[in-house]
Amino acid sequence: MILFAGDPHGSFDHLYPFLTPDENGQKPALVILGDLHITHPDELNPIAERCDLWFIHGNHDTKTASVYDALMGSHWQERNLHGKVQEIQGVRIAGLGGIFRGKIWMPPAPPHYVDPIHLCQYCNEEQLWRRGTPLRHRSSIFPADIDGLRQQKADILITHEAPRPHPYGFRVLNDLARDLGVKRLFHGHHHDNFCYDKWAKSYPFAITNVGFRSIADIKGNYLLKTIDDRH
């Protein structure tokens, strides 16, 4: 069983009721669609004991140095699906973390920078973070991220950003899904569990927006839908 979790933003209690072994004793795989927003690596240990844990990063995962270090600067980075295709329980899952930012690339406009190295060439010393990509842009999507994926094949694409026809979606993600040959696309970022049903016949793959602290199964059925009522 593979489950897809929407942005948890540092709270994981809602996940535990769904992390139970199947009749054969196999633990479920859990794929978190960005914005884990943890502050210490140990926060994920109780979840990882109950499932095969994977994730992509979101924009909130590079908010501060401590948040970045807890997830992407720790051993958990090995579980980041960004930029690769990973077989999980016999299913090939391609991952694209992060968001589009105008400083880097805001499709359909042409990109300003093709990859982090290109960006760093135009940064002064003060703009660099730890002598490399500025912290904020470690969760920005570059054209190179998509180009590296589109040469591969997968069954499922997971993204933090939304594709079209979401009102704030990007058609380049639909194009990537087609190139990969996926049957399903799951995304986070938008907290409203946007419904794509009326466009189901317009795309060769199904799309599911797994919203704020929500959970969906591999068929796109919601097991839990919540509302972001934070102030």
Side-chain angles (χ1 to χ4, degrees):
M1 178 171 63
I2 304 176
L3 303 176
F4 298 87
D7 308 17
H9 285 280
S11 179
F12 303 96
D13 290 347
H14 62 288
L15 299 172
Y16 291 112
F18 302 92
L19 304 182
T20 57
D22 63 18
E23 60 274 10
N24 298 317
Q26 184 181 35
K27 294 180 180 180
L30 177 68
V31 181
I32 301 179
L33 303 172
D35 284 356
L36 288 77
H37 206 181
I38 61 173
T39 56
H40 194 281
D42 290 352
E43 292 177 45
L44 294 179
N45 290 344
I47 301 170
E49 291 174 358
R50 302 191 184 197
C51 66
D52 184 19
L53 180 63
W54 300 88
F55 70 92
I56 50 173
H57 59 270
N59 51 301
H60 282 265
D61 295 316
T62 61
K63 277 259 178 179
T64 66
S66 61
V67 167
Y68 175 90
D69 287 339
L71 186 67
M72 297 166 68
S74 71
H75 65 281
W76 292 118
Q77 177 61 9
E78 298 176 0
R79 290 280 161 159
N80 190 350
L81 294 172
H82 172 70
K84 61 186 179 184
V85 176
Q86 176 73 41
E87 184 170 314
I88 301 172
Q89 294 189 5
V91 179
R92 297 169 299 170
I93 299 180
L96 181 70
I99 63 170
F100 293 106
R101 290 190 171 103
K103 169 76 174 179
I104 306 300
W105 184 28
M106 188 60 68
H112 295 288
Y113 306 98
V114 297
D115 58 28
I117 294 176
H118 187 199
L119 171 63
C120 289
Q121 289 173 339
Y122 289 88
C123 290
N124 59 45
E125 190 71 25
E126 293 179 353
Q127 292 172 315
L128 298 176
W129 187 65
R130 296 177 179 173
R131 300 184 178 182
T133 307
L135 176 59
R136 172 180 173 82
H137 293 302
R138 298 194 182 203
S139 62
S140 295
I141 299 173
F142 290 82
D145 296 323
I146 290 180
D147 291 342
L149 278 175
R150 68 169 74 250
Q151 307 301 322
Q152 305 184 63
K153 292 299 177 184
D155 304 304
I156 290 173
L157 171 63
I158 59 168
T159 63
H160 190 59
E161 279 279 22
R164 297 296 292 169
H166 193 284
Y168 301 108
F170 296 87
R171 195 170 305 279
V172 67
L173 300 182
N174 301 74
D175 296 339
L176 175 61
R178 286 193 182 94
D179 291 341
L180 285 162
V182 304
K183 297 302 181 185
R184 294 191 175 274
L185 188 160
F186 293 85
H187 74 87
H189 194 37
H190 300 287
H191 292 184
D192 52 4
N193 293 300
F194 183 81
C195 183
Y196 291 93
D197 287 353
K198 67 180 180 180
W199 294 280
K201 295 182 180 179
S202 301
Y203 300 94
F205 48 86
I207 307 171
T208 304
N209 176 186
V210 190
F212 177 77
R213 294 176 186 166
S214 298
I215 304 171
D217 65 18
I218 197 170
K219 295 182 179 180
N221 300 311
Y222 290 106
L223 306 181
L224 176 67
K225 293 175 77 171
T226 63
I227 298 172
D228 186 357
D229 57 358
R230 298 173 299 163
H231 297 293

